[in-house]
Amino acid sequence: MTGVSAPRRCAETPPTKKRLMPRPAPDRPQPIRLWPAIVCLVVGVALLASLLQTWLGTASLATQFLSPESWRHVVASDFIGGRVASDGATAELPYAPCLVLSAGFCVSGGILSLVALRRLGWSESLRRSAWICGLTAISLDLWEWVWLVTALLPWQAPMLLMSVLPPFWAATALGGGLTATLAAAQPEKSTTNPDRSRSAAVWACVATYALVFVTMNWRLYFNLLIPHGDSAMYEEHLWNLLHGKGFRSYLDQGLFWGEHIQCVHLFLLPLYALWPSHLLLELCESCVLAAGAWPVYWLARRHSGDSRAAVCLAASYLLYFPTQFLDIEIDIKTFRPEAFGLPLLLLTLDQLDRKQWRGFLVGLLLTLTVKEDYSLVFGPLGLWIAWQGWTRTGIDNPTTARRWQWSGLALTAASVIYLFLATRVVMPWFRSGAEVHYARYFSKFGETPEQIVRTMLTQPGLLFGELISIPTLLYALSLLVPVAGIALLSPSRLLVGLPLFGILCLNELAKDPRHQFHAPLVAIVFWAAAAGLPHATGFLNGLSRRLGRNLSAEQSAAIVRHAVWTFSLTTGLFFSVSPLGVAFWDPGSSWSWQRLYAPQERAAKFASVAAVIPQTARVASTDFVHPRFTHYARSYDYSGYARKVSNYEQRVPDDTEYIVIDTRHRYSTIHRPEDVPEYRDHPDQWELLPDQTDGYFIVLRRRR
């Protein structure tokens, strides 16, 4: 029987069984371990309470943050329940209230961190917030442990150093915590138009700064708190020049060229002719200082290639408390032409970085109109330019490199010659041969510039004893900590400011950045910080790799750009006089808004004084009312200083017709008419006008 048979299986090929492959398990989120972060936070709260007990228990430490009056009030408050010792140097505080304060601080910081990190999810946000707040509190308390160690050392210098570092330590710890929070909350990519949004951000920062500081300066003027000397006298220069009295005020020994080679404020003459008021000068200074944020932005954007980092550095410039002290100095001198030099020097350095030599030369000449001191920056800058040409940094063409070398050396030589001519020829000539006035700022070394230089060269022990000191270190920290130390990553640029920094450390009046002398250093610091931004990002990447945690390029850049402005913000908490500083709100501080900016009765009383004195009069007045008589026929200074207009004698000039004494200003030593020498010793020559100010002012008129 034939047919189709069924297929047979081959014996060599056994039947294959269908294997069931295991299904991959679905990705499950790893559980978030909260307890290590909570432990860190609890430990941080306990340690921070101990630190508060130490700081509030010692007057010398507490008064670095609060006024003595507020410190005593806080210690003796019902909540703290402490007691100030009879010597006023220490206080006894229980631990429990400090623990509550510490917990409140950490909880508040944690809530802010949660809000900032909410895009990560609440569980992850809670974990990171606990870590950040706990580590910040622990880093704050680390000061206490270092301080205890230094107390055991046989040398006093380390302990003295630690005793003056609390504000910088606190600012660094708080800045680090804030930077960590913002960097973690930073989205990977920006969804906004980079150019338009960044420019708008810079404009917003500039406008905010200008609005705040113009308001503060004007309120000081309205409250009769601006001194004439070294502030309102510059308005007198403009008024006198417009009215044919020469480039001078009646404080000067003669024409102002004998004081400084300084004429930058004369560029305001066209505006001043339209609005002759000291308020105009305050407005222009604050706006020009604020505009300095733009060259900082351009420099940072060019070096980092990140417009967000450029905005942050521009914001840091405006939050930088040494910048703000150029607007309102420590002695409430609110107008200084040196402030115009900061944005001018920044623009000049920006032109140098762009290799725009014509713009650089124009900027250099304009900056030299600010003050002869700027040659102390241009001299080292010339050496830096020559070094760039020698090393051919960023220069490919040998001819261009040689041009940089010779241009730099020529700038250095010209700066030295200019400084010599200004201080040893021009200024003494306008002072009739007298020595320049700021030689007395270096009295430890001599009375003339030649003696000062000779002493520095022949007595290096005295020189280095002044340079290597705690005030010098604090000065350096004041300049570098607010930019998170990033300027140190461009050392060649930072070294350009080293000679001026050394001179200021030897200056007996300028050992901290709360006077006008440091203006060129601010420009150098931000010029170096802009160049240091990419180095900081690379440094963070390398450090993270060595620690076994690789940060992405975006994470490193976020940390750097937030650090530069958060550190300026946190240092400003303890040093700034703006509304962002503690002193502004401290009722016991001499910088509180109640004492400086709120309407005051003394200023209101002055209106009746101005009403009885004609503008054709020649008036001698005390310092804080002196600015109100600038537009009179003559405005003389009534003080203990000997002036040329009085033949260097302690008296008013012979042609004085009125004397106005402010009895309530901070330096007043005259409180009654009998205290006025002219009225007491020569009653036949002076008559006392009826008092309409309830004793706030004394007005004398010469008998005819």
Side-chain angles (χ1 to χ4, degrees):
M1 182 176 177
T2 61
V4 179
S5 60
R8 293 185 300 176
R9 293 176 180 171
C10 180
E12 288 79 8
T13 58
T16 59
K17 294 182 180 180
K18 187 176 181 181
R19 295 183 180 180
L20 297 176
M21 301 297 293
R23 233 179 242 182
D27 293 336
R28 294 180 181 178
Q30 295 295 325
I32 296 176
R33 302 175 64 187
L34 284 175
W35 68 266
I38 299 300
V39 170
C40 177
L41 180 60
V42 171
V43 171
V45 168
L47 292 176
L48 182 57
S50 174
L51 179 67
L52 290 176
Q53 196 175 28
T54 300
W55 280 355
L56 290 176
T58 309
S60 60
L61 300 176
T63 52
Q64 296 181 48
F65 301 95
L66 300 171
S67 64
E69 178 184 337
S70 295
W71 170 67
R72 288 189 292 268
H73 177 75
V74 168
V75 169
S77 64
D78 294 336
F79 175 74
I80 298 292
R83 182 176 63 85
V84 178
S86 58
D87 60 357
T90 58
E92 296 179 3
L93 290 85
Y95 181 76
C98 295
L99 186 63
V100 174
L101 287 176
S102 174
F105 169 79
C106 291
V107 169
S108 301
I111 293 174
L112 293 176
S113 296
L114 279 173
V115 173
L117 298 171
R118 64 186 183 277
R119 73 176 185 85
L120 302 175
W122 290 110
S123 297
E124 178 65 14
S125 298
L126 181 62
R127 185 182 73 86
R128 292 200 184 192
S129 298
W131 274 115
I132 290 172
C133 292
L135 292 175
T136 300
I138 292 172
S139 63
L140 278 167
D141 186 67
L142 187 61
W143 175 92
E144 189 174 23
W145 294 95
V146 177
W147 185 58
L148 290 174
V149 171
T150 58
L152 301 176
L153 298 176
W155 310 286
Q156 277 192 327
M159 188 175 181
L160 289 175
L161 175 61
M162 291 302 298
S163 66
V164 296
L165 285 183
F168 292 104
W169 197 287
T172 302
L174 294 176
L178 188 56
T179 297
T181 300
L182 295 173
Q186 184 71 39
E188 289 295 327
K189 293 184 179 180
S190 176
T191 58
T192 58
N193 184 307
D195 293 331
R196 182 176 300 175
S197 62
R198 308 305 178 230
S199 298
V202 177
W203 277 118
C205 293
V206 168
T208 301
Y209 176 94
L211 178 63
V212 170
F213 274 86
V214 168
T215 302
M216 293 169 66
N217 285 329
W218 282 14
R219 287 304 311 163
L220 290 172
Y221 179 81
F222 294 142
N223 285 340
L224 295 178
L225 293 176
I226 293 178
H228 182 274
D230 290 0
S231 191
M233 75 174 193
Y234 293 105
E235 195 233 331
E236 190 179 1
H237 291 164
L238 303 184
W239 178 266
N240 287 346
L241 194 58
L242 280 179
H243 291 79
K245 302 177 186 179
F247 181 33
R248 59 167 300 175
S249 79
Y250 292 106
L251 295 181
D252 303 331
Q253 312 303 318
L255 293 180
F256 187 64
W257 299 112
E259 306 298 319
H260 293 291
I261 307 302
Q262 184 177 68
C263 60
V264 67
H265 53 302
L266 298 186
F267 292 116
L268 299 177
L269 274 172
L271 293 175
Y272 187 78
L274 299 175
W275 182 22
S277 171
H278 182 77
L279 299 177
L280 171 70
L281 274 64
E282 303 289 358
L283 172 67
C284 292
E285 182 191 62
S286 295
C287 290
V288 170
L289 266 177
W294 280 108
V296 172
Y297 172 77
W298 298 327
L299 286 164
R301 186 178 60 180
R302 186 179 310 111
H303 284 283
S304 67
D306 184 355
S307 58
R308 289 176 293 177
V311 171
C312 290
L313 191 64
S316 174
Y317 164 83
L318 298 172
L319 292 169
Y320 192 66
F321 78 88
T323 299
Q324 297 176 2
F325 272 109
L326 293 173
D327 215 330
I328 302 178
E329 287 187 39
I330 189 65
D331 44 11
I332 319 186
K333 294 178 179 179
T334 58
F335 182 83
R336 288 276 198 174
E338 287 88 339
F340 294 100
L342 173 54
L344 280 175
L345 182 54
L346 283 169
L347 284 169
T348 304
L349 295 172
D350 177 64
Q351 290 296 300
L352 176 62
D353 274 12
R354 294 173 189 263
K355 298 182 176 63
Q356 299 293 325
W357 290 102
R358 291 183 181 178
F360 172 73
L361 182 59
V362 171
L364 186 151
L365 295 176
L366 287 175
T367 304
L368 287 178
T369 66
V370 176
K371 202 177 180 182
E372 66 279 358
D373 293 0
Y374 279 81
S375 58
L376 294 170
V377 172
F378 288 127
L381 181 63
L383 295 178
W384 182 86
I385 294 172
W387 174 255
Q388 297 298 106
W390 178 266
T391 59
R392 298 181 63 174
T393 305
I395 304 172
D396 297 328
N397 191 331
T399 303
T400 303
R402 285 194 297 272
R403 190 179 301 123
W404 275 63
Q405 295 176 35
W406 288 111
S407 298
L409 294 176
L411 176 59
T412 299
S415 299
V416 172
I417 294 171
Y418 172 80
L419 183 63
F420 175 81
L421 293 176
T423 58
R424 308 312 300 147
V425 178
V426 179
M427 291 165 61
W429 188 83
F430 279 102
R431 295 175 68 87
S432 301
E435 192 54 74
V436 291
H437 69 283
Y438 47 73
R440 63 178 181 269
Y441 300 162
F442 304 88
S443 58
K444 290 184 179 180
F445 299 94
E447 299 179 355
T448 65
E450 289 81 6
Q451 292 179 2
I452 293 169
V453 173
R454 189 182 305 114
T455 302
M456 291 179 180
L457 294 176
T458 58
Q459 300 184 32
L462 177 61
L463 174 63
F464 287 103
E466 291 293 317
L467 287 177
I468 304 174
S469 63
I470 290 178
T472 298
L473 178 60
L474 293 179
Y475 199 170
L477 292 176
S478 298
L479 295 170
L480 297 174
V481 170
V483 292
I486 292 177
L488 291 169
L489 299 179
S490 181
S492 67
R493 295 177 181 235
L494 199 58
L495 285 174
V496 171
L498 186 61
L500 178 59
F501 175 76
I503 290 173
L504 294 184
C505 290
L506 300 175
N507 189 323
E508 297 170 12
L509 293 182
K511 291 188 177 182
D512 64 79
R514 295 183 293 177
H515 296 275
Q516 83 282 6
F517 303 101
H518 66 280
L521 292 180
V522 175
I524 297 300
V525 167
F526 278 91
W527 181 50
L533 287 173
H535 299 299
T537 303
F539 173 79
L540 273 181
N541 285 330
L543 181 63
S544 67
R545 284 193 297 270
R546 285 192 292 271
L547 295 177
R549 182 181 178 183
N550 291 330
L551 292 175
S552 67
E554 176 59 29
Q555 288 173 324
S556 299
I559 292 172
V560 170
R561 64 174 171 261
H562 285 301
V564 294
W565 75 267
T566 56
F567 275 62
S568 285
L569 176 66
T570 54
T571 50
L573 287 175
F574 311 117
F575 295 103
S576 173
V577 298
S578 75
L580 294 176
V582 173
F584 186 88
W585 305 102
D586 184 349
S589 171
S590 59
W591 289 97
S592 69
W593 69 270
Q594 297 99 322
R595 296 192 181 191
L596 297 182
Y597 308 110
Q600 296 182 4
E601 184 179 7
R602 169 173 160 270
K605 295 290 185 182
F606 179 75
S608 60
V609 174
V612 301
I613 303 178
Q615 284 203 337
T616 56
R618 303 186 177 202
V619 186
S621 58
T622 51
D623 197 12
F624 290 90
V625 295
H626 193 175
R628 299 304 177 90
F629 296 106
T630 298
H631 298 181
Y632 284 58
R634 292 287 176 92
S635 181
Y636 298 134
D637 173 48
Y638 190 95
S639 68
Y641 290 96
R643 304 293 184 189
K644 184 177 181 180
V645 291
S646 302
N647 198 26
Y648 298 106
E649 298 175 0
Q650 292 294 328
R651 60 178 179 82
V652 296
D654 295 333
D655 60 350
T656 304
E657 298 170 299
Y658 287 85
I659 298 176
V660 180
I661 307 294
D662 181 358
T663 64
R664 305 291 179 89
H665 73 81
R666 65 169 76 182
Y667 305 121
S668 178
T669 58
I670 297 176
H671 305 287
R672 303 175 304 162
E674 293 76 16
D675 297 333
V676 183
E678 287 77 9
Y679 182 68
R680 183 186 62 235
D681 300 336
H682 305 283
D684 57 322
Q685 298 181 18
W686 297 93
E687 62 174 320
L688 178 67
L689 297 187
D691 182 15
Q692 300 178 3
T693 66
D694 297 327
Y696 277 88
F697 297 95
I698 299 171
V699 182
L700 301 177
R701 181 172 61 194
R702 187 183 292 274
R703 298 181 184 273
R704 299 186 182 278

